């Protein structure tokens, strides 16, 4: 069964980006302690869903599109630039139709809700989010973009895994 997974790094005080959508707080840690773990996760991904802010950040950072030709849905009301070789699909409206299309495209693999928090919150509200995989980094911001800006109290989350990654720790929660 295809699972919809919100895989994300967060500060210990619950922010995924600073107030200007910056990730300097995260990038300072490099990838040495995380790359093998990330590669295992990414091997299970068959499609991606992200918001326009995350997409535009990825484009701004330059370089090749990091997700190859994986089918990717960008939730936006605009048409944005598409990197060479990327399979980008722009969508707006309710996330149900996007979820169906992404699940179909993912086949036997999972759908990564890559960000940001509002996109994950929409999938959660639509009962299409199955797991949270949150790597808590050893830093606090005090303000910024919240991890999961929900409008209501969530269902109870069940902790199904904890992995130490250097000084960071990943918590895996099943929803419901």
């Amino acid at each position: 069964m295809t699972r919809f997974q919100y895989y994300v790094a967060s500060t210990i005080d619950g922010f995924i980006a600073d107030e200007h959508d910056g990730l300097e707080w995260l990038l300072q840690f490099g990838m040495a302690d995380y790359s093998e773990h990330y590669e295992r996760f990414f091997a299970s991904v068959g499609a991606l869903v992200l918001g326009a802010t995350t997409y535009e950040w990825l484009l701004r950072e330059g370089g090749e599109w990091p997700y190859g030709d994986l089918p990717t849905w960008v939730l936006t009301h605009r048409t944005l630039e598409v990197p060479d070789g990327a399979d980008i699909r722009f969508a707006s409206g309710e996330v149900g139709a996007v979820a169906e299309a992404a699940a179909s495209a993912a086949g036997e693999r999972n759908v990564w809700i890559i960000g940001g928090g509002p996109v994950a919150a929409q999938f959660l509200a639509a009962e299409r989010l199955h797991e949270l995989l949150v790597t808590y980094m050893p830093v606090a911001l005090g303000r910024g973009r919240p991890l999961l800006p929900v409008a209501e109290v969530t269902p109870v989350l069940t902790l199904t895994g904890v992995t130490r990654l250097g000084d960071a720790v990943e918590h895996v929660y099943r929803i419901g």
Side-chain angles (χ1 to χ4, degrees), residues 37-117:
H37 190 73
Y38 169 79
E39 293 300 328
R40 274 196 308 275
F41 166 78
F42 191 67
S44 73
V45 174
L48 305 121
V49 179
L50 58 146
T53 301
T54 302
Y55 181 71
E56 288 176 311
W57 185 90
L58 287 165
L59 294 180
R60 240 187 351 267
E61 290 306 301
E64 286 187 32
W65 178 245
Y67 308 113
D69 63 354
L70 278 179
T72 301
W73 280 261
V74 178
L75 303 183
T76 183
H77 295 285
R78 302 172 286 146
T79 300
L80 303 167
E81 174 187 345
V82 175
D84 290 338
D87 181 358
I88 306 296
R89 304 150 192 219
F90 300 106
S92 61
E94 297 295 320
V95 298
V98 171
E100 291 301 320
S104 178
E108 297 294 316
R109 296 190 292 169
N110 297 319
V111 176
W112 178 10
I113 308 300
I114 189 170

